[in-house]
Amino acid sequence: MMKPAFLLCLLLLTTSCKSAGDELVLTDHGKSNYQLLLPAQPTRAAQKAANILQDYVQRISGVKLPIATEGPAVTGAGIYIGATEAGTPEKIPPEGFVIRTDAKNVYIRGGSGQGIVYGVYHLLDTYFGCKKFDNGTAYTPREQRLHLRANMRDAQHPAFIYRQSYYPASQDPEYLSWHGLQQLDDLWGLWGHSFFKMLPPEVYFKAHPEYYSQVNGKRQPMQLCLSNQAVYDAVVAYLDKAIQHNPDALYWSIAPEDNNNYCTCDICKKADAAEGSPAGSLIRFVNKLAARFPQQRFTTLAYGYTAQAPHTPPADNVYIFVSSIDAYRGVPLAQEPSAAAFRKHLQDWKALGSHLFVWDYTTQFTNYLAPFPDYENLQPNLQYFASQGVQGVFSQGSGDTYGDMAAWNSYLQAALLWDPQADVATLKREFFKGYYGKAGALVKDYADALSNAVKAGQVKLDIYGSPVNNVNDYLSPANMARYTALLDKAEQAAGNEAPYAEHVWKTRLALDYTMLQQSLFYGIQEGGYRVADNNDHPVKPEWQGRISSFYDRCLRFGVKEMAEGGLTPEQYNNEWKERINTVWMPNKALNAPVKVATPFSQDYMTRGAASLTDGALGTTDYSFNWLYFQRQHLDATIEQSLTFSSVQTQYLEDVRHFIVRPVDAALQVSDDGVHFTTIATQKLSPMLEDTDDGKAQIKVLQFKLPQPVSTHYLRLQASCPDVLPEWRGSSHAPAICFDEIIVD
């Protein structure tokens, strides 16, 4: 006679595969009659998918489903993975999948590539409640009873053949597979701006200057000369070896360097004129390579001087990356006025029958941590790309360093790159609740408040902007106070519960960074880092603690650099230490009225002419506190009675952004503001290439007089060079930048 306990176990085993109503019960109270069944010759993807499903089912339910090969000996129910004999064969698009059940079994089939793996992760996420919000550990619920609806079918495939959201989470291979994303390193044998990767000037230029672009009548190592047969032969030789070394690469980039100094030799110029665009010689060159390597796919860039489509269509194995770099991000790209050129370029390349990819941008590259609320525009942008026949998207965020709302950006982009019609409201609800726990609703309100402030202020959200530039709109003091209150409440709601508290702290880095940057603009005014109502203007006593806390959290949360090619957190911290330890320099001209006779740029955040006497010093970021004179001279007059023996000011050198050293400077005085006398001059030495380390540098220009001088008007003049140094290799207009004039 069977014992009751044994009968109960037998009952559980025999009923676990049967439907409860319309359900297939896969596990129940530690028992299952299901196996994971593979075809006789499974693909690597199918084997990987089976291992993943086995692992997660065990994490969820405690049941380890056996993995076996299908066949006559199999008894009981099965979860069939891959192209098994059981089940109905289906035609599945590349990288797509089908999850299907009948009255007894489950079938997961995939298209080419990772389709079957994507299918398993979709099953775990959508039906079993697992979530992968970032590159941390996946959330796995504890559930004894796993079930699926009987006789259901879920078929999906991605909207784009190339899908990349470039944020830290993408460094996690499981995150990529979970969300159907890809990584450029896995697809491209050669990526991005590639001319000099193939023919580096340090190797070839000295012996073969003719390989490189002719600019202003002279061969310079700025781009390649694409009409030179020897260049083509050298690139073919490079690709022969590279393809042999990396035969699995899907794409090879043949693209110019990141500058506009294309070749203007007679042959290149003639080709570009015939094509109606400097992209003409590029497409002819890439098409020639595409014919030489017909089994390979090549990509190139419609960016900068190659943005405008030529007359010649790209070959069928050539894909064009169209860049949206010049557009503001406050409204969707389909409506944004500054995106008109991008839309035209996209349509013109489309008219040629091109395979189109888009290189899009979703962060502020000059300030990765600055709040950049373009989240509401991600869906309409991707829907627009899909409507234009775009086949792939590189959504460039902060890369492998943490940037503002990186986890939410990546999570949302991943879903929309797979399906641009996805339900964003549902995605938002599940992400903020799952990622922030009890603080989720408050952090969601914070993100919404940022987006709403951008809309209300009709802000031109700039990927090369600054949190200082927006002190009068979405990052105004009133708005900053509102955001701070929301995240204060979020911190209280999260308490010390891991990982939710850390996620709130990480999100708060954006406000901390904005406050620090804006304090540099405010200087000795309210909101600045120095005490306003004290003649010595010491640094506020709490500032050292703020800097230390910010630095510690940057290191803790994976901040590697503050901007693209910018300071590391350690360098940023050291700058602040130096600033805090710098004693205030008295200035007899502080807040004195000043007039500037020459025009300066209105594109950057200053207090106009008053920036020269407001006590707020410039930093290595030229976008605020500097008066920016492009091909204009500095001519500034302080209108105040002064007695002095020293005058100094700061100027900026940042050749990457075409900001150079002035040619000379002069100091003049006047009693009537009409007739001026020169009392001192300086001739500055030219900038040398080997003195430029690629980083912006602040320099001091000082006049020390042999004896005190009294005047009613003090004028400072400085000359801007007519052209950039030849070694800079650019015809871009040069600029000079000045900030505080200190009189003592």
Side-chain angles (χ1 to χ4, degrees), residues 318-344:
V318 173
Y319 292 70
I320 307 298
F321 262 114
V322 183
S323 167
S324 63
I325 195 167
D326 293 324
Y328 292 125
R329 306 287 155 163
V331 298
L333 292 173
Q335 290 87 45
E336 168 57 47
S338 65
F342 163 70
R343 295 192 294 270
K344 178 68 163 54

PDB file of all heavy atoms in Angstrom, residues 318-344:
ATOM      1  N   VAL A 318      27.434  48.338 -49.208  1.00  0.00           N
ATOM      2  CA  VAL A 318      27.911  49.529 -48.506  1.00  0.00           C
ATOM      3  C   VAL A 318      26.750  50.131 -47.718  1.00  0.00           C
ATOM      4  O   VAL A 318      25.649  50.302 -48.255  1.00  0.00           O
ATOM      5  CB  VAL A 318      28.485  50.572 -49.488  1.00  0.00           C
ATOM      6  CG1 VAL A 318      28.814  51.875 -48.757  1.00  0.00           C
ATOM      7  CG2 VAL A 318      29.726  50.020 -50.176  1.00  0.00           C
ATOM      8  N   TYR A 319      27.003  50.452 -46.459  1.00  0.00           N
ATOM      9  CA  TYR A 319      25.997  51.007 -45.558  1.00  0.00           C
ATOM     10  C   TYR A 319      26.444  52.405 -45.131  1.00  0.00           C
ATOM     11  O   TYR A 319      27.602  52.611 -44.774  1.00  0.00           O
ATOM     12  CB  TYR A 319      25.819  50.116 -44.324  1.00  0.00           C
ATOM     13  CG  TYR A 319      25.198  48.774 -44.639  1.00  0.00           C
ATOM     14  CD1 TYR A 319      25.910  47.803 -45.353  1.00  0.00           C
ATOM     15  CD2 TYR A 319      23.905  48.469 -44.243  1.00  0.00           C
ATOM     16  CE1 TYR A 319      25.343  46.577 -45.656  1.00  0.00           C
ATOM     17  CE2 TYR A 319      23.325  47.242 -44.537  1.00  0.00           C
ATOM     18  CZ  TYR A 319      24.052  46.295 -45.249  1.00  0.00           C
ATOM     19  OH  TYR A 319      23.481  45.083 -45.548  1.00  0.00           O
ATOM     20  N   ILE A 320      25.511  53.343 -45.153  1.00  0.00           N
ATOM     21  CA  ILE A 320      25.826  54.741 -44.872  1.00  0.00           C
ATOM     22  C   ILE A 320      25.328  55.121 -43.483  1.00  0.00           C
ATOM     23  O   ILE A 320      24.128  55.035 -43.193  1.00  0.00           O
ATOM     24  CB  ILE A 320      25.180  55.680 -45.914  1.00  0.00           C
ATOM     25  CG1 ILE A 320      25.542  55.241 -47.334  1.00  0.00           C
ATOM     26  CG2 ILE A 320      25.598  57.122 -45.652  1.00  0.00           C
ATOM     27  CD1 ILE A 320      27.020  55.285 -47.652  1.00  0.00           C
ATOM     28  N   PHE A 321      26.249  55.558 -42.621  1.00  0.00           N
ATOM     29  CA  PHE A 321      25.888  56.110 -41.318  1.00  0.00           C
ATOM     30  C   PHE A 321      25.600  57.604 -41.492  1.00  0.00           C
ATOM     31  O   PHE A 321      26.510  58.390 -41.746  1.00  0.00           O
ATOM     32  CB  PHE A 321      27.049  55.968 -40.331  1.00  0.00           C
ATOM     33  CG  PHE A 321      26.964  54.790 -39.410  1.00  0.00           C
ATOM     34  CD1 PHE A 321      27.883  53.760 -39.495  1.00  0.00           C
ATOM     35  CD2 PHE A 321      25.983  54.724 -38.433  1.00  0.00           C
ATOM     36  CE1 PHE A 321      27.829  52.679 -38.627  1.00  0.00           C
ATOM     37  CE2 PHE A 321      25.916  53.649 -37.560  1.00  0.00           C
ATOM     38  CZ  PHE A 321      26.836  52.618 -37.657  1.00  0.00           C
ATOM     39  N   VAL A 322      24.340  58.004 -41.349  1.00  0.00           N
ATOM     40  CA  VAL A 322      23.980  59.419 -41.426  1.00  0.00           C
ATOM     41  C   VAL A 322      23.961  59.977 -40.007  1.00  0.00           C
ATOM     42  O   VAL A 322      23.294  59.428 -39.124  1.00  0.00           O
ATOM     43  CB  VAL A 322      22.614  59.616 -42.106  1.00  0.00           C
ATOM     44  CG1 VAL A 322      22.300  61.105 -42.249  1.00  0.00           C
ATOM     45  CG2 VAL A 322      22.602  58.946 -43.479  1.00  0.00           C
ATOM     46  N   SER A 323      24.684  61.059 -39.792  1.00  0.00           N
ATOM     47  CA  SER A 323      24.854  61.616 -38.447  1.00  0.00           C
ATOM     48  C   SER A 323      23.851  62.731 -38.172  1.00  0.00           C
ATOM     49  O   SER A 323      23.599  63.584 -39.024  1.00  0.00           O
ATOM     50  CB  SER A 323      26.275  62.167 -38.293  1.00  0.00           C
ATOM     51  OG  SER A 323      26.387  62.970 -37.139  1.00  0.00           O
ATOM     52  N   SER A 324      23.324  62.735 -36.946  1.00  0.00           N
ATOM     53  CA  SER A 324      22.395  63.784 -36.503  1.00  0.00           C
ATOM     54  C   SER A 324      23.082  64.772 -35.565  1.00  0.00           C
ATOM     55  O   SER A 324      22.425  65.437 -34.765  1.00  0.00           O
ATOM     56  CB  SER A 324      21.196  63.146 -35.789  1.00  0.00           C
ATOM     57  OG  SER A 324      21.611  62.471 -34.608  1.00  0.00           O
ATOM     58  N   ILE A 325      24.397  64.912 -35.677  1.00  0.00           N
ATOM     59  CA  ILE A 325      25.190  65.612 -34.666  1.00  0.00           C
ATOM     60  C   ILE A 325      24.839  67.085 -34.505  1.00  0.00           C
ATOM     61  O   ILE A 325      24.993  67.656 -33.428  1.00  0.00           O
ATOM     62  CB  ILE A 325      26.697  65.453 -34.974  1.00  0.00           C
ATOM     63  CG1 ILE A 325      27.536  65.858 -33.755  1.00  0.00           C
ATOM     64  CG2 ILE A 325      27.091  66.234 -36.226  1.00  0.00           C
ATOM     65  CD1 ILE A 325      28.984  65.444 -33.849  1.00  0.00           C
ATOM     66  N   ASP A 326      24.355  67.742 -35.551  1.00  0.00           N
ATOM     67  CA  ASP A 326      24.145  69.190 -35.489  1.00  0.00           C
ATOM     68  C   ASP A 326      22.774  69.594 -34.949  1.00  0.00           C
ATOM     69  O   ASP A 326      22.459  70.786 -34.906  1.00  0.00           O
ATOM     70  CB  ASP A 326      24.333  69.803 -36.883  1.00  0.00           C
ATOM     71  CG  ASP A 326      25.774  69.707 -37.359  1.00  0.00           C
ATOM     72  OD1 ASP A 326      26.678  69.828 -36.512  1.00  0.00           O
ATOM     73  OD2 ASP A 326      25.990  69.495 -38.564  1.00  0.00           O
ATOM     74  N   ALA A 327      21.971  68.634 -34.542  1.00  0.00           N
ATOM     75  CA  ALA A 327      20.600  68.943 -34.122  1.00  0.00           C
ATOM     76  C   ALA A 327      20.496  69.118 -32.612  1.00  0.00           C
ATOM     77  O   ALA A 327      21.126  68.394 -31.837  1.00  0.00           O
ATOM     78  CB  ALA A 327      19.657  67.831 -34.567  1.00  0.00           C
ATOM     79  N   TYR A 328      19.676  70.089 -32.192  1.00  0.00           N
ATOM     80  CA  TYR A 328      19.292  70.184 -30.782  1.00  0.00           C
ATOM     81  C   TYR A 328      18.319  69.055 -30.455  1.00  0.00           C
ATOM     82  O   TYR A 328      17.715  68.439 -31.346  1.00  0.00           O
ATOM     83  CB  TYR A 328      18.638  71.530 -30.496  1.00  0.00           C
ATOM     84  CG  TYR A 328      19.579  72.709 -30.594  1.00  0.00           C
ATOM     85  CD1 TYR A 328      19.298  73.787 -31.432  1.00  0.00           C
ATOM     86  CD2 TYR A 328      20.747  72.756 -29.838  1.00  0.00           C
ATOM     87  CE1 TYR A 328      20.160  74.877 -31.528  1.00  0.00           C
ATOM     88  CE2 TYR A 328      21.615  73.840 -29.921  1.00  0.00           C
ATOM     89  CZ  TYR A 328      21.316  74.893 -30.773  1.00  0.00           C
ATOM     90  OH  TYR A 328      22.174  75.957 -30.865  1.00  0.00           O
ATOM     91  N   ARG A 329      18.125  68.798 -29.151  1.00  0.00           N
ATOM     92  CA  ARG A 329      17.367  67.622 -28.720  1.00  0.00           C
ATOM     93  C   ARG A 329      16.135  67.961 -27.894  1.00  0.00           C
ATOM     94  O   ARG A 329      15.585  67.091 -27.232  1.00  0.00           O
ATOM     95  CB  ARG A 329      18.287  66.716 -27.885  1.00  0.00           C
ATOM     96  CG  ARG A 329      19.577  66.356 -28.598  1.00  0.00           C
ATOM     97  CD  ARG A 329      19.347  65.376 -29.702  1.00  0.00           C
ATOM     98  NE  ARG A 329      20.378  65.471 -30.732  1.00  0.00           N
ATOM     99  CZ  ARG A 329      20.615  64.536 -31.630  1.00  0.00           C
ATOM    100  NH1 ARG A 329      19.898  63.433 -31.629  1.00  0.00           N
ATOM    101  NH2 ARG A 329      21.540  64.708 -32.543  1.00  0.00           N
ATOM    102  N   GLY A 330      15.684  69.204 -27.938  1.00  0.00           N
ATOM    103  CA  GLY A 330      14.543  69.587 -27.118  1.00  0.00           C
ATOM    104  C   GLY A 330      13.220  69.044 -27.616  1.00  0.00           C
ATOM    105  O   GLY A 330      12.287  68.846 -26.842  1.00  0.00           O
ATOM    106  N   VAL A 331      13.116  68.821 -28.920  1.00  0.00           N
ATOM    107  CA  VAL A 331      11.905  68.251 -29.524  1.00  0.00           C
ATOM    108  C   VAL A 331      12.342  67.135 -30.462  1.00  0.00           C
ATOM    109  O   VAL A 331      13.518  67.031 -30.815  1.00  0.00           O
ATOM    110  CB  VAL A 331      11.084  69.321 -30.291  1.00  0.00           C
ATOM    111  CG1 VAL A 331      10.607  70.415 -29.353  1.00  0.00           C
ATOM    112  CG2 VAL A 331      11.898  69.915 -31.430  1.00  0.00           C
ATOM    113  N   PRO A 332      11.415  66.276 -30.902  1.00  0.00           N
ATOM    114  CA  PRO A 332      11.796  65.178 -31.794  1.00  0.00           C
ATOM    115  C   PRO A 332      12.475  65.677 -33.071  1.00  0.00           C
ATOM    116  O   PRO A 332      12.180  66.759 -33.578  1.00  0.00           O
ATOM    117  CB  PRO A 332      10.456  64.499 -32.095  1.00  0.00           C
ATOM    118  CG  PRO A 332       9.610  64.790 -30.895  1.00  0.00           C
ATOM    119  CD  PRO A 332      10.000  66.179 -30.478  1.00  0.00           C
ATOM    120  N   LEU A 333      13.378  64.855 -33.594  1.00  0.00           N
ATOM    121  CA  LEU A 333      14.163  65.245 -34.764  1.00  0.00           C
ATOM    122  C   LEU A 333      13.299  65.494 -35.996  1.00  0.00           C
ATOM    123  O   LEU A 333      13.685  66.267 -36.875  1.00  0.00           O
ATOM    124  CB  LEU A 333      15.203  64.162 -35.067  1.00  0.00           C
ATOM    125  CG  LEU A 333      16.323  64.011 -34.033  1.00  0.00           C
ATOM    126  CD1 LEU A 333      17.186  62.797 -34.353  1.00  0.00           C
ATOM    127  CD2 LEU A 333      17.179  65.267 -33.961  1.00  0.00           C
ATOM    128  N   ALA A 334      12.154  64.862 -36.069  1.00  0.00           N
ATOM    129  CA  ALA A 334      11.272  65.075 -37.221  1.00  0.00           C
ATOM    130  C   ALA A 334      10.705  66.485 -37.250  1.00  0.00           C
ATOM    131  O   ALA A 334      10.287  66.964 -38.312  1.00  0.00           O
ATOM    132  CB  ALA A 334      10.133  64.056 -37.206  1.00  0.00           C
ATOM    133  N   GLN A 335      10.696  67.176 -36.085  1.00  0.00           N
ATOM    134  CA  GLN A 335      10.170  68.544 -36.029  1.00  0.00           C
ATOM    135  C   GLN A 335      11.234  69.586 -35.694  1.00  0.00           C
ATOM    136  O   GLN A 335      11.020  70.778 -35.927  1.00  0.00           O
ATOM    137  CB  GLN A 335       9.061  68.653 -34.965  1.00  0.00           C
ATOM    138  CG  GLN A 335       7.771  67.935 -35.295  1.00  0.00           C
ATOM    139  CD  GLN A 335       7.782  66.485 -34.878  1.00  0.00           C
ATOM    140  OE1 GLN A 335       8.202  66.161 -33.774  1.00  0.00           O
ATOM    141  NE2 GLN A 335       7.329  65.601 -35.761  1.00  0.00           N
ATOM    142  N   GLU A 336      12.358  69.175 -35.159  1.00  0.00           N
ATOM    143  CA  GLU A 336      13.379  70.116 -34.698  1.00  0.00           C
ATOM    144  C   GLU A 336      13.947  70.927 -35.873  1.00  0.00           C
ATOM    145  O   GLU A 336      14.477  70.365 -36.832  1.00  0.00           O
ATOM    146  CB  GLU A 336      14.499  69.343 -33.991  1.00  0.00           C
ATOM    147  CG  GLU A 336      15.756  70.126 -33.698  1.00  0.00           C
ATOM    148  CD  GLU A 336      15.519  71.367 -32.870  1.00  0.00           C
ATOM    149  OE1 GLU A 336      14.801  71.288 -31.850  1.00  0.00           O
ATOM    150  OE2 GLU A 336      16.046  72.427 -33.259  1.00  0.00           O
ATOM    151  N   PRO A 337      13.839  72.274 -35.826  1.00  0.00           N
ATOM    152  CA  PRO A 337      14.347  73.088 -36.943  1.00  0.00           C
ATOM    153  C   PRO A 337      15.827  72.856 -37.246  1.00  0.00           C
ATOM    154  O   PRO A 337      16.226  72.819 -38.410  1.00  0.00           O
ATOM    155  CB  PRO A 337      14.089  74.526 -36.467  1.00  0.00           C
ATOM    156  CG  PRO A 337      12.936  74.410 -35.526  1.00  0.00           C
ATOM    157  CD  PRO A 337      13.132  73.100 -34.821  1.00  0.00           C
ATOM    158  N   SER A 338      16.643  72.692 -36.203  1.00  0.00           N
ATOM    159  CA  SER A 338      18.076  72.505 -36.438  1.00  0.00           C
ATOM    160  C   SER A 338      18.401  71.143 -37.034  1.00  0.00           C
ATOM    161  O   SER A 338      19.543  70.896 -37.435  1.00  0.00           O
ATOM    162  CB  SER A 338      18.854  72.692 -35.131  1.00  0.00           C
ATOM    163  OG  SER A 338      18.506  71.686 -34.194  1.00  0.00           O
ATOM    164  N   ALA A 339      17.418  70.244 -37.103  1.00  0.00           N
ATOM    165  CA  ALA A 339      17.617  68.925 -37.709  1.00  0.00           C
ATOM    166  C   ALA A 339      17.203  68.900 -39.178  1.00  0.00           C
ATOM    167  O   ALA A 339      17.198  67.835 -39.798  1.00  0.00           O
ATOM    168  CB  ALA A 339      16.834  67.863 -36.936  1.00  0.00           C
ATOM    169  N   ALA A 340      16.868  70.059 -39.746  1.00  0.00           N
ATOM    170  CA  ALA A 340      16.417  70.099 -41.142  1.00  0.00           C
ATOM    171  C   ALA A 340      17.481  69.542 -42.082  1.00  0.00           C
ATOM    172  O   ALA A 340      17.174  68.788 -43.022  1.00  0.00           O
ATOM    173  CB  ALA A 340      16.040  71.528 -41.530  1.00  0.00           C
ATOM    174  N   ALA A 341      18.739  69.907 -41.851  1.00  0.00           N
ATOM    175  CA  ALA A 341      19.815  69.407 -42.713  1.00  0.00           C
ATOM    176  C   ALA A 341      19.947  67.893 -42.576  1.00  0.00           C
ATOM    177  O   ALA A 341      20.137  67.182 -43.573  1.00  0.00           O
ATOM    178  CB  ALA A 341      21.128  70.092 -42.364  1.00  0.00           C
ATOM    179  N   PHE A 342      19.851  67.393 -41.353  1.00  0.00           N
ATOM    180  CA  PHE A 342      19.908  65.942 -41.134  1.00  0.00           C
ATOM    181  C   PHE A 342      18.791  65.236 -41.894  1.00  0.00           C
ATOM    182  O   PHE A 342      19.019  64.221 -42.564  1.00  0.00           O
ATOM    183  CB  PHE A 342      19.818  65.642 -39.638  1.00  0.00           C
ATOM    184  CG  PHE A 342      19.471  64.212 -39.317  1.00  0.00           C
ATOM    185  CD1 PHE A 342      20.374  63.194 -39.543  1.00  0.00           C
ATOM    186  CD2 PHE A 342      18.218  63.890 -38.796  1.00  0.00           C
ATOM    187  CE1 PHE A 342      20.049  61.865 -39.254  1.00  0.00           C
ATOM    188  CE2 PHE A 342      17.884  62.577 -38.501  1.00  0.00           C
ATOM    189  CZ  PHE A 342      18.806  61.564 -38.732  1.00  0.00           C
ATOM    190  N   ARG A 343      17.578  65.760 -41.800  1.00  0.00           N
ATOM    191  CA  ARG A 343      16.453  65.133 -42.499  1.00  0.00           C
ATOM    192  C   ARG A 343      16.683  65.142 -44.012  1.00  0.00           C
ATOM    193  O   ARG A 343      16.387  64.165 -44.706  1.00  0.00           O
ATOM    194  CB  ARG A 343      15.150  65.855 -42.147  1.00  0.00           C
ATOM    195  CG  ARG A 343      14.753  65.733 -40.680  1.00  0.00           C
ATOM    196  CD  ARG A 343      13.329  66.200 -40.436  1.00  0.00           C
ATOM    197  NE  ARG A 343      13.139  67.621 -40.659  1.00  0.00           N
ATOM    198  CZ  ARG A 343      13.275  68.567 -39.735  1.00  0.00           C
ATOM    199  NH1 ARG A 343      13.635  68.231 -38.501  1.00  0.00           N
ATOM    200  NH2 ARG A 343      13.058  69.835 -40.018  1.00  0.00           N
ATOM    201  N   LYS A 344      17.214  66.253 -44.514  1.00  0.00           N
ATOM    202  CA  LYS A 344      17.495  66.347 -45.952  1.00  0.00           C
ATOM    203  C   LYS A 344      18.569  65.338 -46.359  1.00  0.00           C
ATOM    204  O   LYS A 344      18.440  64.648 -47.383  1.00  0.00           O
ATOM    205  CB  LYS A 344      17.954  67.769 -46.280  1.00  0.00           C
ATOM    206  CG  LYS A 344      18.323  68.009 -47.746  1.00  0.00           C
ATOM    207  CD  LYS A 344      17.102  67.942 -48.654  1.00  0.00           C
ATOM    208  CE  LYS A 344      17.350  68.582 -50.016  1.00  0.00           C
ATOM    209  NZ  LYS A 344      18.518  68.055 -50.734  1.00  0.00           N
TER     210      LYS A 344
END
